[in-house]
Amino acid sequence: MRRRSLLIAVPAGLVTLAACGDEGSDSGKASDTASPSDPATSAAPSPKIVDGPLPAVTAGSEFGEKPTVAKGSGEPSKDLAVKTLIAGGGRTVAENDYIVAHYLGQIWDTAKVFDNSYDRKTPLLIQLAQGGIIDGWRYGLTGKKTGSRVAMAVPPTWGYGEQGNAQAGIKGTDTLVFVVDIEDTYNARSSAKGTDVAQDNVDLPKVGTNTDGKAPSIEIPKTDAPTELVANYVIEGDGEEVGADSTVLVQYKGVLWDTGKEFDSSYSRKALTSFSLQQVVKGWAQGLTGKKVGSRVLVVIPPELGYGDNPPQGSGIEKDSTLVFSVDILAKM
């Protein structure tokens, strides 16, 4: 049986991009690891932040290197212990920002590593928001700068709570030790960054090239909509190419070709959006695959690659509408 699936843990407006999915889809399965993106439901008060005790990093001490961390000595603090091991000089991380970070997590008492991103060679892309990440990260990383390596000892209150995480071998009494390399941070003011590309096809929409975090303009020409997918650079970044199975972090704005009316925008919600290209309409998936991180892309989606005669209820999209998007690809994982 087919159904229209909603993306989980993203702004409500993104339903207008959700693809049709199978009931048996495994896209929402939990990870086999105990990553900080699998938090307990938290109602804990804000922690007191102290600078120790923290176990030493005994190898891999450079930013971006997989660290080796000693076993905890004695009793850990009942407060949240946070120490900047390497001070970066980049942008300051704020609560509700998305961060890109490599990390290693282990248990204080045993030094058992329960998760690390270094071996996967893929950093974590996650929002420092309540309910989306363990509170130890949310409080411990806020105020740090990109380029920083941060060590944290997170008591259960601001970790996985009294229930722990049995799958990862974490008990409800375990204090968790993390080393986190903060590579980048993004917020609602983030934009594409790269080189402007000529928009010289008068039969296609023209997209603004401002990079001040405000929504770009989209000017629809007085011509018939194209019948094939269009996916052109407006600003070409120099990051990695997006894969067909990538998860991306974006700013976007969508308008209707026929009227130029905006029907969806992350700018108007003042909130970035993260999703897998396997979860969105074919036009988005095909249009963004192969494009570079850091870019702004004009995507014009004909009905058969959008919603055809079955647009989302309440979206303002009519049947057989051609959709026009400006998409800033900020990051991928």
Side-chain angles (χ1 to χ4, degrees), residues 92-153:
T92 301
V93 175
E95 186 173 357
N96 295 316
D97 280 3
Y98 283 83
I99 62 167
V100 176
H102 269 300
Y103 67 96
L104 178 141
Q106 67 183 46
I107 297 171
W108 176 281
D109 289 334
T110 64
K112 175 192 172 185
V113 176
F114 56 82
D115 192 22
N116 89 88
S117 65
Y118 300 92
D119 288 349
R120 293 192 293 272
K121 302 187 186 306
T122 303
L124 179 69
L125 169 62
I126 197 164
Q127 188 178 22
L128 293 183
Q130 185 174 14
I133 195 168
I134 60 173
D135 283 340
W137 275 52
R138 185 163 65 94
Y139 289 112
L141 298 183
T142 294
K144 304 303 182 184
K145 293 186 176 182
T146 58
S148 296
R149 168 168 281 194
V150 181
M152 297 184 286

Side-chain angles (χ1 to χ4, degrees), residues 233 236-248 277 287-295 329 331-333:
Y233 284 121
E236 184 172 358
D238 60 2
E240 294 181 78
E241 290 188 358
V242 173
D245 59 349
S246 293
T247 292
V248 292
L277 290 189
L288 297 187
T289 297
K291 294 297 188 285
K292 298 174 185 176
V293 171
S295 300
I329 308 171
K332 77 154 209 171
M333 62 176 295

Side-chain angles (χ1 to χ4, degrees), residues 206-223:
K206 187 172 183 179
V207 178
T209 58
N210 58 296
T211 56
D212 54 1
K214 297 180 181 179
S217 59
I218 302 178
E219 300 175 11
I220 306 296
K222 298 186 183 332
T223 59

Side-chain angles (χ1 to χ4, degrees), residues 151-170:
M152 297 184 286
V154 181
T157 301
W158 297 283
Y160 294 97
E162 294 179 355
Q163 75 274 18
N165 187 314
Q167 186 178 19
I170 298 172

Side-chain angles (χ1 to χ4, degrees), residues 5 7 31 38 58 61-62 70 74 107 129 159 181 190 197 207 210 216 218 222 237 241 296 307 322:
S5 62
L7 298 185
S31 168
D38 302 323
T58 58
S61 60
E62 298 298 318
I107 297 171
D181 289 332
S190 297
V197 175
V207 178
N210 58 296
I218 302 178
K222 298 186 183 332
E241 290 188 358
R296 176 169 297 165
Y307 296 106
T322 296

Side-chain angles (χ1 to χ4, degrees), residues 155-229:
T157 301
W158 297 283
Y160 294 97
E162 294 179 355
Q163 75 274 18
N165 187 314
Q167 186 178 19
I170 298 172
K171 302 190 295 293
T173 56
D174 284 335
T175 289
L176 308 179
V177 177
F178 290 96
V179 174
V180 183
D181 289 332
I182 307 171
E183 294 188 348
D184 217 334
T185 184
Y186 302 92
N187 58 36
R189 298 179 300 280
S190 297
S191 290
K193 48 186 178 181
T195 303
D196 292 359
V197 175
Q199 302 179 68
D200 48 14
N201 188 335
V202 296
D203 294 327
L204 292 178
K206 187 172 183 179
V207 178
T209 58
N210 58 296
T211 56
D212 54 1
K214 297 180 181 179
S217 59
I218 302 178
E219 300 175 11
I220 306 296
K222 298 186 183 332
T223 59
D224 292 336
T227 57
E228 302 292 332
L229 177 70

